[in-house]
Structure formats: C-alpha cells, structure tokens
Amino acid sequence: MSEQLTISMNAHITRYLESRQSLMALQGARRAGKTYTVCQWLLLNMYNDGDVVIFASMTSEQGRKGAYEDCKTILKSWGGLGDTFDVLKSPMEIRCKRNNTTSGRSGIAYFSSFQDPETAKGGACDWVFINEANKFTKQQYLDLAANARKGVIVDYNPNTHFWIE
C-alpha cells in the first residue's frame, strides 16, 4: 500500500513539475517523496538541458542530509547514467560531465545554505529549489527567485502557516 502511495505521489509531483510553472510549491508530509522526486527531475534537466540548479537549505547539515544525499542515492541507482555526473564533497556540487549541445553547457547543481538572510542572493541559475521553504523568510525567497531563469520550486511540510500562503 505504501509503495502505491509513493508511486502515485511521484506521478502527481512529476506532472506538476512538467507543467513548468515559474513557481511550484509542494506541500506534503515528511517522507512523502517531495524532495526525492524534485531531485530526480532536476538531475534529468541538468543532463538533458544543461540546467544550472541551486539547492537551497537553511543549514549546510540540512542540505547535506537532505537533497544532496537524495541526489547521490538517485545517481547510484541510475547505473551508467549516474556515471555521467561528478559528485563533489567540498564544495557540495554535482556536475554533469555531458556537455549539452542545445544549451552549450554542462549542468551543475550547487548545494547552498542560507542561514544568514544577507547571503540569500545566490547566483544566476535556471532553477532554485528551496527545501523546507517555511524556514526561509519571504525576502530570502525573493532574493533567490530573482536569479532563476526558468523557475523556483519550494517544498514544505504543512505544520505551520507562513509567507507562501
């Protein structure tokens, strides 16, 4: 039963991501598969389109144990396709070795923490994924979103009200 729910949730999230809205907000319980599914989708965009992604978390430990660890697990499960990525520990980055001919660049993911509101400026990128967005201020979101060419994805647990509403 749990596996069926996970597959259903992943299919729902994937359909939502493929709609390519400029802001996508994913609300769901812990362990619902939101982060894992978003990571899969963004890694594929890095591979297919050469996308540059900022994975934003409030602390470096949250980022390392969350999206970064999920991405490593996904790449291991992909076998040969996963081998087309380099996983760096310091700085925490994942780089696609494949130079995409459409965009003319190789995809890269930066895993950054933004505990200090002043550092939430980020850099130019295609996508920003804000993990546990309820821990970010609206200004941090605005500062990060300003750099995203394609869109922003936020996920959060439904335990508190915050600026997204």
Side-chain angles (χ1 to χ4, degrees):
M1 180 68 159
S2 175
E3 188 172 319
Q4 288 176 330
L5 290 174
T6 301
I7 292 168
S8 175
M9 174 66 89
N10 288 345
H12 178 72
I13 292 171
T14 302
R15 277 193 303 277
Y16 185 54
L17 294 170
E18 288 173 349
S19 71
R20 294 195 181 241
Q21 301 170 39
S22 59
L23 170 61
M24 294 177 270
L26 302 169
Q27 175 189 7
R30 289 187 75 236
R31 314 310 280 158
K34 301 179 307 289
T35 302
Y36 195 87
T37 303
V38 170
C39 288
Q40 288 177 318
W41 190 78
L42 289 170
L43 287 167
L44 286 171
N45 280 292
M46 289 167 54
Y47 180 83
N48 290 325
D49 303 329
D51 282 356
V52 176
V53 180
I54 294 175
F55 285 85
S57 59
M58 186 51 63
T59 66
S60 59
E61 184 173 343
Q62 176 199 352
R64 182 178 51 78
K65 290 182 176 178
Y68 179 73
E69 199 59 42
D70 282 350
C71 285
K72 287 173 37 180
T73 300
I74 291 163
L75 292 174
K76 284 180 188 173
S77 75
W78 282 357
L81 181 59
D83 292 340
T84 63
F85 291 84
D86 284 326
V87 178
L88 285 73
K89 289 183 181 177
S90 183
M92 281 193 303
E93 294 179 1
I94 295 178
R95 298 177 183 177
C96 185
K97 298 176 195 177
R98 178 179 185 256
N99 185 0
N100 183 281
T101 55
T102 307
S103 67
R105 48 180 195 187
S106 299
I108 187 165
Y110 301 100
F111 296 82
S112 303
S113 62
F114 297 100
Q115 199 161 8
D116 176 1
E118 293 300 314
T119 64
K121 306 298 185 216
C125 62
D126 295 297
W127 294 98
V128 173
F129 174 44
I130 303 176
N131 188 229
E132 297 190 32
N134 51 304
K135 298 186 189 289
F136 285 76
T137 66
K138 185 173 184 179
Q139 189 60 52
Q140 286 174 305
Y141 159 76
L142 293 171
D143 289 342
L144 288 166
N147 298 308
R149 292 182 283 264
K150 294 183 179 181
V152 179
I153 304 165
V154 300
D155 81 350
Y156 61 99
N157 300 328
N159 53 358
T160 59
H161 295 283
F162 70 108
W163 55 264
I164 195 79
E165 298 171 354

